[in-house]
Amino acid sequence: MADAIAAPGARPQGEDAPVVLALHAVRKSYGIGTPVETEVLHGIDLRLRRGEFCALIGPSGSGKSTLLNIIGLLDRPTSGTLEIEGTPTGGLDDAALTRLRGRSIGFVFQYHYLITAFSALENVMMPLLVERGRPDDAMRGKAASLLARVGLERWKDSRASHLSGGQQQRVAVARALAADPALVLADEPTGNLDTRAAEGVFELMRDVNRERGTTFLLVTHNMALASRCDRTIELVDGRIVAGGQPI
Ligand SMILES: Nc1ncnc2c1ncn2[C@@H]1O[C@H](COP(=O)(O)OP(=O)(O)O)[C@@H](O)[C@H]1O
Ligand SMILES: [Mg+2]
């Protein structure tokens, strides 16, 4: 619905914007049923609205990646509830979770996980291929326009392995956007880049957020970048200690 509205200013903002992600009392334990069972998330409440650009910060081992994996439907909470775009996920089987993930969530990781033998274009098409089966011109056109958006039009036929780290991460951002997700999860997306490339990838995500209203949740250790997000969520020892409510 809001997608039909072209002007960013016309989009519902703040409290009027739809809730893209809602977690309630989410707990996660590893090693259940073993002597080393440990709870690493201790009751997370979190809501993100459409268009929010959020940093997730916290010490190493505080549970950031665990939380991102749960939000990204790559792992299930031990207890508590998770809704993506209003859909409760608790009762969904793996196939339904995979469909919801493909439709609603894009991922950017610290290490881009591109298929290095494939071209930039083929990598960006991957999420669409997974969803629709075989490549067609519409898919190629979409991937090409996304590569143009991230500044890599000239490189679309280059093998991923021939691109620089910063360029590869731009391909990963384009790939994350291929299915027009409402939410992009980025786990230390600039952690492996030099300052200049990190700045470029951060600005790219920021611009995409403003242009499309895509919600971003970005794990970072870089406080300068975190301070440029709209909202900073801080996790310490598996608990949110700041930023849990939408601004
Ligand atoms: N698969 C796993 N099995 C057991 N413990 C895990 C697993 N993944 C993470 N942990 C533990 O959970 C805690 C949180 O880890 P993680 O979510 O990776 O934190 P962060 O991303 O903030 O560094 C750590 O103590 C880590 O050792
Ligand atoms: Mg981590």
Side-chain angles (χ1 to χ4, degrees), residues 64-65 187-188 219:
K64 303 182 296 299
S65 294
D187 199 348
E188 303 192 39
V219 174

Side-chain angles (χ1 to χ4, degrees), residues 147-148 151-158 163:
L147 280 171
L152 292 174
E153 194 161 28
R154 283 177 51 208
W155 306 92
K156 67 181 190 317
D157 297 319
S158 302
L163 303 177

Side-chain angles (χ1 to χ4, degrees), residues 60-120:
S60 181
S62 57
K64 303 182 296 299
S65 294
T66 301
L67 181 57
L68 236 62
N69 288 341
I70 288 172
I71 293 172
L73 309 175
L74 298 168
D75 200 359
R76 290 175 188 265
T78 307
S79 64
T81 64
L82 167 66
E83 290 182 16
I84 305 280
E85 295 194 273
T87 303
T89 60
L92 301 182
D93 63 15
D94 286 350
L97 286 179
T98 300
R99 281 196 300 276
L100 181 59
R101 186 192 312 128
R103 210 168 52 229
S104 297
I105 301 171
F107 294 92
V108 183
F109 297 98
Q110 177 170 9
Y111 301 98
H112 45 74
Y113 297 115
L114 300 181
I115 301 174
T116 51
F118 281 14
S119 70

Side-chain angles (χ1 to χ4, degrees), residues 116-129:
T116 51
F118 281 14
S119 70
L121 191 81
E122 288 164 337
N123 272 283
V124 175
M125 285 168 61
M126 283 309 289
L128 300 173
L129 279 172

Side-chain angles (χ1 to χ4, degrees), residues 7-213:
R11 213 174 263 138
Q13 297 283 330
E15 285 176 21
D16 294 333
V19 174
V20 167
L21 169 75
L23 281 82
H24 180 62
V26 163
R27 294 175 177 269
K28 178 66 182 178
S29 298
Y30 288 116
I32 290 175
T34 75
V36 292
E37 175 172 336
T38 14
E39 190 175 89
V40 299
L41 295 176
H42 311 292
I44 300 289
D45 291 306
L46 180 65
R47 281 190 304 157
L48 302 185
R49 291 186 186 276
R50 179 172 166 85
E52 286 200 282
F53 195 83
C54 307
L56 176 62
I57 64 168
S60 181
S62 57
K64 303 182 296 299
S65 294
T66 301
L67 181 57
L68 236 62
N69 288 341
I70 288 172
I71 293 172
L73 309 175
L74 298 168
D75 200 359
R76 290 175 188 265
T78 307
S79 64
T81 64
L82 167 66
E83 290 182 16
I84 305 280
E85 295 194 273
T87 303
T89 60
L92 301 182
D93 63 15
D94 286 350
L97 286 179
T98 300
R99 281 196 300 276
L100 181 59
R101 186 192 312 128
R103 210 168 52 229
S104 297
I105 301 171
F107 294 92
V108 183
F109 297 98
Q110 177 170 9
Y111 301 98
H112 45 74
Y113 297 115
L114 300 181
I115 301 174
T116 51
F118 281 14
S119 70
L121 191 81
E122 288 164 337
N123 272 283
V124 175
M125 285 168 61
M126 283 309 289
L128 300 173
L129 279 172
V130 169
E131 211 172 316
R132 294 184 221 158
R134 53 174 50 210
D136 57 33
D137 285 347
M139 244 186 246
R140 278 191 204 90
K142 170 131 206 203
S145 77
L146 282 166
L147 280 171
R149 174 62 195 84
V150 303
L152 292 174
E153 194 161 28
R154 283 177 51 208
W155 306 92
K156 67 181 190 317
D157 297 319
S158 302
R159 273 187 182 216
S161 55
H162 292 172
L163 303 177
S164 72
Q167 288 173 327
Q168 293 189 16
Q169 205 57 316
R170 286 171 175 273
V171 175
V173 172
R175 180 185 55 183
L177 297 171
D180 296 317
L183 175 64
V184 170
L185 303 174
D187 199 348
E188 303 192 39
T190 64
N192 198 33
L193 301 177
D194 64 44
T195 312
R196 196 156 152 251
E199 176 68 24
V201 169
F202 180 85
E203 274 305 318
L204 170 64
M205 292 190 291
R206 215 36 282 214
D207 289 346
V208 165
N209 158 256
R210 291 195 180 108
E211 286 163 20
R212 302 173 162 235

